[in-house]
Amino acid sequence: MASRFLNDPDSLAVDIADYWASGEDDQNRLNSALSHFRRLAPEGQELQAVGPGPRLMGRRIHDPYPDDARVIDALAKEERSKLGPVSISQKNASSQRKFSDWLKREGRGSIVSRLTGTDQQQQSLQEDFRKFTEAEGKVVVSLDRLRQYLGAESQLKQHNPYPDDALMIDGLANEELSKLGPDSTSKRKVVQNMAINQRRFSNWLQKNGRGSISSRLTGSDEQQRSLKDDFREFTTNVEVKISVGFNRLRQYLGAESQLKQHHPYPDDTRMIDSFTKEELSKLGPESTSKRKGVLNLASNQRRFGNWLRKNGRGSISSRLTGSDEQQRSLKDDFREFTINVEVKINVSLDRLRQYLGAESQLKQHHPYPDDALMIDALANEELSKLGSDSTSQRRVVWRLASNQRKFSNWLQTKGRESIASRLNGSDQQQWSLKKDYQDFTEDMGKHTISFKRLRQYQQVVEANAASGLSPEQASGREPAGLDGRSDPRAEFRSTSPLQQVDPSIEGRSGLSL
């Protein structure tokens, strides 16, 4: 065979056809076996003697149902990770694929679709396996091992809980599973079985028109009592002792759910949520207690913000880094708030102030519009390069942008021209800008502006415009993100501006091409 596969495929094909015609291969095993030789053919070419088909390797001589193939391969991979390349695991996988291949050819349902289904489905699978062994001989398929691997996970699909419950249940289950090693099979099943019970209960609630678990789990005493009553009725109906782990769900969801009870000013909401997101991004999946600490702090901050809004007081963010009088009034309001709620509560205004400080300072200044676009776009570009934990570097960028906006604001109040209009202008214009900066520092004190960085950025934008881009794309004249408007950075960065700078400006700009 080896001498003729590539050199004389026609005569070999005739011999194969004669062999099949003789009835020697009544179970069609030769076809699968010869398929391995397709690997000898050059990629993209057909091995004529064997004919078209897959380039099969190892146990993949069988063509199972796709859902069966995924589960069988996943189980084999899990076993290999624990035991290494053990032959019994490989043999089991081959037998399982062979059985699924037979089911597919016979028009029977897949293994996975019936393995953990109803009693009737499991019985039909067993009957099919009996017929399979009669046709193929004794084959060990290890359905129980597949059932153990797939069981709890497959049962999840039988229940359709409320969407908010599904998010909560799956989130908790994923968090629990992420803490377990690959060999924690029994613990893994405990987590999955608990998730099944929770989804099953939520499915029952939905069918009977009761409220979801998550909507009542950390709600008022009355809501929690009604949930408990519904669970008692549910266990009576299912006629089985079942646990859904309310306390575990409550611990997982508690602080996060409390956020929804409070409705502060929109600017406070954005600030608190952004701060919370940054803090959570620093924590690993196992930092459960720290995660709850962050969420509880956010809940307190939103609660205070809600009280301010209801009582017609100014928002937190509008006064947090404002004048001494504004900050004093915020402190007085917090003192009054703690007296009214009759509970010791921490909102960590200092931590919010550290987070928001530089950003709030931007709002104190009103630069020329063309300066605002340039300054904010450059700052956004710098911020995009920093990770979420680069807090100190982030503040440097904010502080520089604040100084630049402050200078432009001063220019406008004094009737001087904008920074952008003179930054890359004539020698006289650049000299006048330098002179205005000296006057500014005499009035306002020394402030770092970094004209060089602004100049390089503006040259890049101008070079983009010269290369044929539209004015909006070239200059980023979409409102800048730092002022609460859309961010031009996406357009600026997508054009790879540093690669498009006109060589004629290289010497004057100092840009490295």
Side-chain angles (χ1 to χ4, degrees):
M1 287 189 291
S3 68
R4 291 193 287 162
F5 263 119
L6 296 175
N7 299 324
D8 193 11
D10 291 337
S11 68
L12 181 57
V14 171
D15 287 348
I16 292 172
D18 288 346
Y19 177 72
W20 282 332
S22 69
E24 294 287 340
D25 189 32
D26 57 329
Q27 293 185 1
N28 199 30
R29 290 175 175 170
L30 178 62
N31 187 42
S32 295
L34 289 174
S35 293
H36 289 280
F37 286 113
R38 290 197 182 95
R39 285 177 288 152
L40 298 174
E43 190 65 41
Q45 296 184 25
E46 180 183 313
L47 194 58
Q48 188 175 338
V50 181
R55 300 160 70 88
L56 300 177
M57 300 178 71
R59 56 189 168 80
R60 298 183 181 276
I61 61 175
H62 308 298
D63 184 24
Y65 279 104
D67 55 344
D68 287 345
R70 283 192 294 269
V71 173
I72 293 166
D73 292 350
L75 172 59
K77 183 178 180 181
E78 181 182 281
E79 291 183 337
R80 285 197 301 273
S81 69
K82 298 176 188 176
L83 308 172
V86 181
S87 60
I88 187 65
S89 176
Q90 295 172 341
K91 187 175 181 181
N92 283 342
S94 180
S95 298
Q96 290 158 354
R97 292 175 69 94
K98 185 176 182 179
F99 178 38
S100 181
D101 182 33
W102 182 87
L103 291 172
K104 190 177 179 182
R105 284 189 280 111
E106 295 292 322
R108 316 292 173 90
S110 68
I111 301 173
V112 168
S113 67
R114 298 181 285 170
L115 190 63
T116 57
T118 64
D119 293 340
Q120 184 179 355
Q121 287 176 312
Q122 294 188 45
Q123 186 177 340
S124 71
L125 181 62
Q126 195 64 40
E127 289 173 357
D128 283 343
F129 178 66
R130 191 178 299 111
K131 293 174 183 176
F132 165 70
T133 54
E134 290 175 359
E136 299 290 332
K138 186 177 180 180
V139 180
V140 178
V141 175
S142 297
L143 291 177
D144 283 338
R145 183 69 191 90
L146 281 171
R147 187 174 286 109
Q148 288 171 10
Y149 173 78
L150 191 67
E153 192 169 354
S154 293
Q155 291 173 38
L156 291 176
K157 299 173 185 176
Q158 300 176 15
H159 312 299
N160 299 299
Y162 278 105
D164 55 343
D165 285 346
L167 288 171
M168 172 184 67
I169 294 165
D170 293 350
L172 172 59
N174 286 333
E175 181 180 285
E176 295 293 314
L177 291 172
S178 70
K179 301 173 186 176
L180 304 178
D183 55 345
S184 305
T185 310
S186 59
K187 292 181 181 179
R188 181 174 177 270
K189 290 188 176 64
V190 169
V191 173
Q192 290 176 329
N193 283 327
M194 181 64 76
I196 289 168
N197 293 343
Q198 292 162 347
R199 292 174 69 100
R200 187 178 181 184
F201 177 43
S202 180
N203 183 44
W204 181 87
L205 290 173
Q206 187 167 206
K207 283 185 176 179
N208 288 275
R210 316 289 174 89
S212 67
I213 302 173
S214 62
S215 67
R216 298 182 283 171
L217 192 62
T218 58
S220 64
D221 292 341
E222 184 179 351
Q223 288 177 310
Q224 294 188 44
R225 193 181 304 113
S226 71
L227 181 63
K228 191 174 180 180
D229 292 341
D230 283 343
F231 178 67
R232 189 179 298 111
E233 183 180 343
F234 164 70
T235 53
T236 303
N237 279 273
V238 297
E239 299 176 355
V240 63
K241 187 176 180 180
I242 195 171
S243 172
V244 295
F246 282 138
N247 285 336
R248 187 68 194 88
L249 283 171
R250 191 172 283 112
Q251 289 170 10
Y252 171 77
L253 193 66
E256 193 166 357
S257 293
Q258 291 169 35
L259 294 177
K260 301 173 184 176
Q261 301 174 15
H262 312 300
H263 303 284
Y265 284 104
D267 56 341
D268 285 347
T269 299
R270 285 192 295 270
M271 173 185 66
I272 295 166
D273 291 352
S274 180
F275 167 67
T276 304
K277 185 178 180 181
E278 181 179 285
E279 293 296 302
L280 291 174
S281 70
K282 302 173 186 176
L283 304 178
E286 70 283 351
S287 305
T288 310
S289 60
K290 291 182 180 179
R291 179 177 180 274
K292 290 188 176 66
V294 171
L295 289 170
N296 279 325
L297 180 60
S299 180
N300 292 344
Q301 291 164 345
R302 291 174 68 101
R303 186 177 182 183
F304 177 42
N306 183 54
W307 182 87
L308 291 172
R309 185 182 60 80
K310 283 186 174 180
N311 287 275
R313 315 290 173 89
S315 67
I316 302 172
S317 62
S318 68
R319 298 182 284 170
L320 192 62
T321 59
S323 64
D324 292 341
E325 183 180 350
Q326 287 176 313
Q327 294 188 44
R328 193 181 302 113
S329 72
L330 179 63
K331 190 174 181 180
D332 291 341
D333 283 343
F334 178 66
R335 190 179 297 111
E336 183 180 343
F337 163 70
T338 53
I339 294 171
N340 278 273
V341 297
E342 298 178 352
V343 64
K344 186 177 181 181
I345 196 169
N346 175 38
V347 297
S348 193
L349 292 178
D350 284 339
R351 186 69 191 86
L352 282 173
R353 188 174 286 110
Q354 290 171 12
Y355 171 77
L356 193 65
E359 187 173 0
S360 294
Q361 291 170 34
L362 295 176
K363 300 173 184 176
Q364 301 173 16
H365 313 302
H366 303 284
Y368 278 106
D370 55 345
D371 287 346
L373 288 171
M374 174 180 63
I375 294 165
D376 294 352
L378 173 59
N380 281 328
E381 176 71 15
E382 295 296 320
L383 290 171
S384 70
K385 302 171 185 175
L386 304 178
S388 58
D389 56 344
S390 305
T391 310
S392 60
Q393 291 175 300
R394 181 174 176 271
R395 290 199 183 92
V396 169
V397 175
W398 284 119
R399 194 173 297 115
L400 180 60
S402 179
N403 289 346
Q404 292 163 346
R405 292 173 67 99
K406 187 175 184 179
F407 177 44
S408 180
N409 180 62
W410 182 89
L411 291 172
Q412 188 167 205
T413 58
K414 297 292 183 179
R416 317 283 176 93
E417 292 180 81
S418 67
I419 303 171
S421 67
R422 296 182 284 170
L423 197 58
N424 283 298
S426 65
D427 291 341
Q428 183 178 356
Q429 286 178 309
Q430 293 189 40
W431 179 84
S432 70
L433 180 62
K434 186 176 180 179
K435 180 66 171 61
D436 284 343
Y437 174 66
Q438 291 173 349
D439 293 344
F440 166 72
T441 56
E442 289 176 5
D443 279 358
M444 311 298 294
K446 187 175 180 179
H447 289 70
T448 300
I449 304 296
S450 189
F451 288 122
K452 182 178 179 181
R453 187 70 190 91
L454 284 170
R455 184 173 288 114
Q456 289 173 344
Y457 176 78
Q458 191 184 63
Q459 287 169 351
V460 167
V461 174
E462 290 173 353
N464 281 344
S467 70
L469 297 177
S470 68
E472 290 77 13
Q473 289 175 311
S475 63
R477 289 189 183 117
E478 290 291 332
L482 298 182
D483 253 352
R485 295 165 285 182
S486 61
D487 184 357
R489 186 176 68 245
E491 291 180 0
F492 172 76
R493 296 178 67 192
S494 66
T495 58
S496 301
L498 291 179
Q499 299 174 13
Q500 298 184 32
V501 175
D502 188 333
S504 66
I505 69 169
E506 180 182 2
R508 133 176 110 86
S509 69
L511 289 178
S512 176
L513 299 183

